[in-house]
Amino acid sequence: MTTLTQLLKSRTVWFAIDKQAHFLSGGFLLAALSPITTYYEQPLYLCLIPVILAAVLKEVYDASHPDKHTADKWDAFATTLGGIAMYIWLSIFNT
Protein backbone atom coordinates (compact mmCIF):
# COMPACT_ATOMS: atom_id res chain seq x y z
CA MET A 1 0.00 0.00 0.00
CA THR A 2 1.32 3.41 -0.97
CA THR A 3 1.60 6.02 1.75
CA LEU A 4 1.07 9.72 1.14
CA THR A 5 4.76 10.54 1.60
CA GLN A 6 5.79 7.86 -0.89
CA LEU A 7 3.24 9.19 -3.36
CA LEU A 8 4.39 12.79 -2.94
CA LYS A 9 8.00 11.74 -3.50
CA SER A 10 7.08 9.92 -6.72
CA ARG A 11 7.05 12.55 -9.47
CA THR A 12 5.72 10.19 -12.11
CA VAL A 13 2.46 9.60 -10.26
CA TRP A 14 1.60 13.25 -9.64
CA PHE A 15 2.49 14.43 -13.10
CA ALA A 16 0.52 11.66 -14.78
CA ILE A 17 -2.11 13.01 -17.15
CA ASP A 18 -4.85 11.22 -15.20
CA LYS A 19 -4.05 13.07 -11.97
CA GLN A 20 -3.81 16.36 -13.86
CA ALA A 21 -7.26 15.75 -15.33
CA HIS A 22 -8.71 14.99 -11.89
CA PHE A 23 -7.05 18.11 -10.42
CA LEU A 24 -8.41 20.32 -13.19
CA SER A 25 -11.89 18.83 -13.05
CA GLY A 26 -12.10 19.52 -9.32
CA GLY A 27 -11.04 23.12 -9.90
CA PHE A 28 -13.43 23.62 -12.80
CA LEU A 29 -16.33 22.13 -10.84
CA LEU A 30 -15.75 24.49 -7.93
CA ALA A 31 -15.38 27.45 -10.29
CA ALA A 32 -18.62 26.50 -12.05
CA LEU A 33 -20.49 26.28 -8.74
CA SER A 34 -19.09 29.48 -7.23
CA PRO A 35 -21.60 31.85 -8.90
CA ILE A 36 -24.41 29.93 -7.19
CA THR A 37 -22.99 30.64 -3.75
CA THR A 38 -22.43 34.26 -4.74
CA TYR A 39 -26.01 34.62 -5.95
CA TYR A 40 -27.48 33.14 -2.78
CA GLU A 41 -24.93 34.97 -0.59
CA GLN A 42 -23.53 31.76 0.85
CA PRO A 43 -19.90 31.09 1.78
CA LEU A 44 -17.68 29.78 -1.00
CA TYR A 45 -16.48 26.77 1.01
CA LEU A 46 -19.90 25.19 0.49
CA CYS A 47 -18.80 24.51 -3.09
CA LEU A 48 -16.27 22.04 -1.74
CA ILE A 49 -19.06 19.68 -0.68
CA PRO A 50 -20.17 18.78 -4.24
CA VAL A 51 -16.53 18.60 -5.37
CA ILE A 52 -15.69 16.05 -2.67
CA LEU A 53 -18.95 14.21 -3.30
CA ALA A 54 -18.27 14.03 -7.05
CA ALA A 55 -14.73 12.79 -6.43
CA VAL A 56 -15.84 10.02 -4.08
CA LEU A 57 -18.84 8.97 -6.17
CA LYS A 58 -16.66 8.79 -9.28
CA GLU A 59 -14.33 6.37 -7.53
CA VAL A 60 -17.27 4.35 -6.19
CA TYR A 61 -18.53 4.10 -9.75
CA ASP A 62 -15.08 3.03 -10.95
CA ALA A 63 -14.92 0.37 -8.22
CA SER A 64 -18.32 -1.00 -9.20
CA HIS A 65 -17.25 -1.31 -12.85
CA PRO A 66 -13.81 -2.94 -12.65
CA ASP A 67 -14.04 -4.32 -16.18
CA LYS A 68 -13.72 -0.83 -17.72
CA HIS A 69 -12.50 1.42 -14.87
CA THR A 70 -9.79 1.41 -12.25
CA ALA A 71 -10.68 2.80 -8.83
CA ASP A 72 -7.93 4.86 -7.24
CA LYS A 73 -8.27 6.77 -3.98
CA TRP A 74 -5.56 9.17 -5.20
CA ASP A 75 -7.82 10.20 -8.08
CA ALA A 76 -10.39 11.35 -5.53
CA PHE A 77 -7.63 13.09 -3.61
CA ALA A 78 -6.42 14.89 -6.75
CA THR A 79 -9.97 16.01 -7.60
CA THR A 80 -10.48 17.32 -4.08
CA LEU A 81 -7.10 19.03 -4.13
CA GLY A 82 -8.05 20.79 -7.36
CA GLY A 83 -11.23 22.05 -5.72
CA ILE A 84 -9.30 23.28 -2.71
CA ALA A 85 -6.77 25.04 -4.95
CA MET A 86 -9.56 26.81 -6.81
CA TYR A 87 -11.23 27.71 -3.51
CA ILE A 88 -7.99 29.36 -2.34
CA TRP A 89 -7.59 31.11 -5.69
CA LEU A 90 -11.14 32.48 -5.68
CA SER A 91 -10.93 33.45 -2.02
CA ILE A 92 -7.86 35.56 -2.73
CA PHE A 93 -8.71 37.07 -6.11
CA ASN A 94 -12.52 37.15 -6.19
CA THR A 95 -13.30 40.23 -4.15
Side-chain angles (χ1 to χ4, degrees), residues 39-60:
Y39 180 79
Y40 288 107
E41 299 176 358
Q42 297 297 316
L44 183 61
Y45 66 82
L46 290 178
C47 292
L48 286 171
I49 296 169
V51 170
I52 295 168
L53 189 62
V56 171
L57 288 177
K58 166 70 169 67
E59 296 312 311
V60 168

Side-chain angles (χ1 to χ4, degrees), residues 3 15 23 25 27-28 34 38 43 45 52 55 61 67 85 89-90 92:
T3 64
F15 293 112
F23 183 85
S25 65
F28 286 137
S34 68
T38 304
Y45 66 82
I52 295 168
Y61 176 82
D67 53 326
W89 178 269
L90 291 176
I92 294 170

Side-chain angles (χ1 to χ4, degrees), residues 6 9-10 22 29-30 34 40 68 71 73 77 85 90 93:
Q6 290 172 336
K9 289 179 183 177
S10 173
H22 279 276
L29 180 57
L30 189 124
S34 68
Y40 288 107
K68 295 185 180 181
K73 63 183 174 193
F77 181 74
L90 291 176
F93 296 108

Side-chain angles (χ1 to χ4, degrees), residues 1 19 23 26 36 39 44 54 61 64 66 76 87-89 92 94:
M1 175 172 241
K19 299 299 182 273
F23 183 85
I36 297 170
Y39 180 79
L44 183 61
Y61 176 82
S64 65
Y87 167 75
I88 292 169
W89 178 269
I92 294 170
N94 193 19

